[in-house]
Amino acid sequence: MGLRKLVAGNWKMHGLSSDLDEVRTIAAAARDYPGVDVALCVPAILIERAARAVSGFAIGGQDVHQAEKGAHTGCTSALMLLDAGASLTIVGHSERRDAQRESDEQVKAKAEAALSVGLVVILCVGESLEVRESGRAVETVRSQLDGSLPETPNGEAELAIAYEPIWAIGTGKIPTMGEIAEMHASIRRTVVKRYGSPGAGMRILYGGSVKASNAAEIFAIADVDGALVGGASLKAADFMPIVAAAAASLP
Ligand code: 13P
């Protein structure tokens, strides 16, 4: 049985007030696909305006601090995200693991902080090109999961895993369908081992150069329960065909 698909856009450091119209367009178009969960993770400063612009549509953050509050200049707490109108957040994106030197331990604490206030979490994992070429991709991702999965995931709908090979992000390159299938099957085994039966209901998203042209093929793979989309989520014209492909892949 396939899980309900989740297609989330990660706007990264893109988005000004002038882009709220694009958020509105995407939210309105998403209503045509009631069988797919669609969300946009926008820059923190845009969350409140985006959430106000599109009531009933899921707006998310791209990161969260693990502490409840305190002396953490420039950071955003889980409660702040929620208060601004977010219903989900990404944690552990490779751009943060790399540029902000976030460890598995920190990513786990961030996931737990977000879940504790009721946010849905998309937890990212993925290997570098060097690791892929050395044949250690599956074990590396398993070790990232072992270190960063939250202790209590709340429920199966509250935690999604995004497999994003670093070398596929923004490059136009993607793994072979066999490589995606192998990795998603391994992630499924890991979450089922960790959480028992709720692990079977957690969505595993693929991310990295997802486009209208490859989405259908990717969504047809077992244990691909959606996508985390970067560049192609910035414009409705690029994003909605991906959502449509997710809808078309439903049984
Ligand atoms: P692209 O879709 O631009 O490759 O980005 C993927 C990503 O990093 C989503 O979080």
Side-chain angles (χ1 to χ4, degrees), residues 7 29 32-33 36 38 215-216 219 238-250:
V7 180
D32 291 341
Y33 303 98
V36 179
V38 185
F219 291 142
D238 298 323
F239 191 49
M240 294 320 297
I242 297 172
V243 176
S249 74
L250 297 170

Side-chain angles (χ1 to χ4, degrees), residues 46-60:
L46 206 61
I47 291 173
E48 180 160 8
R49 281 170 292 161
R52 280 185 200 279
V54 292
S55 70
F57 178 83
I59 296 292

Side-chain angles (χ1 to χ4, degrees), residues 117-141:
V117 303
L119 291 169
V120 167
V121 166
I122 299 177
L123 191 156
C124 302
V125 289
E127 82 286 355
S128 65
L129 185 59
E130 191 197 350
V131 167
R132 169 59 66 184
E133 286 177 342
S134 72
R136 290 179 290 114
V138 168
E139 66 178 85
T140 298
V141 166

Side-chain angles (χ1 to χ4, degrees), residues 6 13 26 51 56 67 103 128 162 172 216:
L6 167 61
M13 204 168 74
I26 289 170
S103 64
S128 65

Side-chain angles (χ1 to χ4, degrees), residues 208-219:
S209 297
V210 177
K211 310 222 174 323
S213 55
N214 58 24
E217 199 182 4
I218 293 170
F219 291 142

